[in-house]
Amino acid sequence: MDHAGAVSVGQLLVATQPGRGGYFDRSVVLLIEHQAQATVGLCLNVMSEIPVHNVLSDFTELMSPPVGVFEGGPVNEDVVVALGEPGSPDSPPPGWERISGDIGVVDVNFPSELLATSFTQLRVFVGLSAWAPGQLESELIRGSWFRTGARAEDVFGDPGGLWRRVLRRMGGTTGRWSTWTDQPSNN
């Protein structure tokens, strides 16, 4: 995917400048909404300490490992968003809104008795990553993020090492960032 061009739903934002600390250090964010008023995403690789039974316990059986709640971001921490992969991508269930490919937002009020026959994978997030109008574009101009397309394995796979895996997949000069050591003093 072209790393330039317009920001759009379904893109991954991959943090640059690792080792600086802060919430978004080595984060991978899936953009789920992009409008003139705001851009909204979910951080895919930050686990929450909130017990899953406190959020959407009906979703637990279909959650991709590691089973747990993820921190979608530091904004609106009371908002719950579920992402799912439908069992039949050609005829997805009502209450599922496509983001990219087989990745979509699941209505958190989806009937629990239909979950197992409707979805193959689920992930639950608390909080959002959000940008005001023009804010994300400014961060992109400053070089704070790389962009690429999202894949189901990015969203529902092992969150450990996701930042490195996505960078490697991007290849080229961007892929070299994946070799950044956890101990910058070792460089």
Side-chain angles (χ1 to χ4, degrees):
M1 168 184 222
D2 183 11
H3 307 302
V7 172
S8 65
V9 169
Q11 289 180 339
L12 291 180
L13 299 178
V14 184
T16 62
Q17 304 170 357
R20 288 187 144 182
Y23 186 87
F24 291 107
D25 189 24
R26 298 174 202 227
S27 65
V28 178
V29 177
L30 172 67
L31 296 181
I32 61 169
E33 186 176 326
H34 179 65
Q35 299 177 9
Q37 301 86 357
T39 301
V40 178
L42 297 170
C43 189
L44 300 176
N45 57 338
V46 179
M47 293 287 298
S48 172
E49 294 182 12
I50 298 172
V52 71
H53 65 271
N54 287 3
V55 183
L56 291 175
S57 59
D58 292 343
F59 284 51
T60 304
E61 284 189 34
L62 291 175
M63 284 186 183
S64 303
V67 173
V69 177
F70 284 72
E71 290 184 21
V75 178
N76 292 342
E77 294 176 346
D78 56 339
V79 171
V80 176
V81 177
L83 296 178
E85 181 177 23
S88 300
D90 296 332
S91 59
W96 181 80
E97 182 181 336
R98 186 180 310 274
I99 296 297
S100 176
D102 294 339
I103 305 163
V105 175
V106 178
D107 182 345
V108 295
N109 297 310
F110 196 88
S112 59
E113 63 275 7
L114 299 177
L115 282 170
T117 58
S118 300
F119 298 99
T120 57
Q121 302 186 89
L122 294 169
R123 214 22 71 92
V124 175
F125 300 84
V126 175
L128 303 168
S129 299
W131 294 264
Q135 183 182 3
L136 178 57
E137 288 80 359
S138 294
E139 291 179 16
L140 290 166
I141 289 168
R142 286 194 313 267
S144 299
W145 302 99
F146 295 118
R147 285 183 291 153
T148 191
R151 296 180 179 175
E153 62 263 22
D154 301 330
V155 175
F156 304 110
D158 180 6
L162 179 62
W163 182 79
R164 291 184 193 284
R165 286 194 310 276
V166 173
L167 288 169
R168 282 188 196 114
R169 180 177 80 223
M170 292 174 73
T173 317
T174 304
R176 287 190 225 148
W177 282 79
S178 70
T179 63
W180 191 278
T181 179
D182 290 336
Q183 299 295 324
S185 61
N186 292 340
N187 282 336

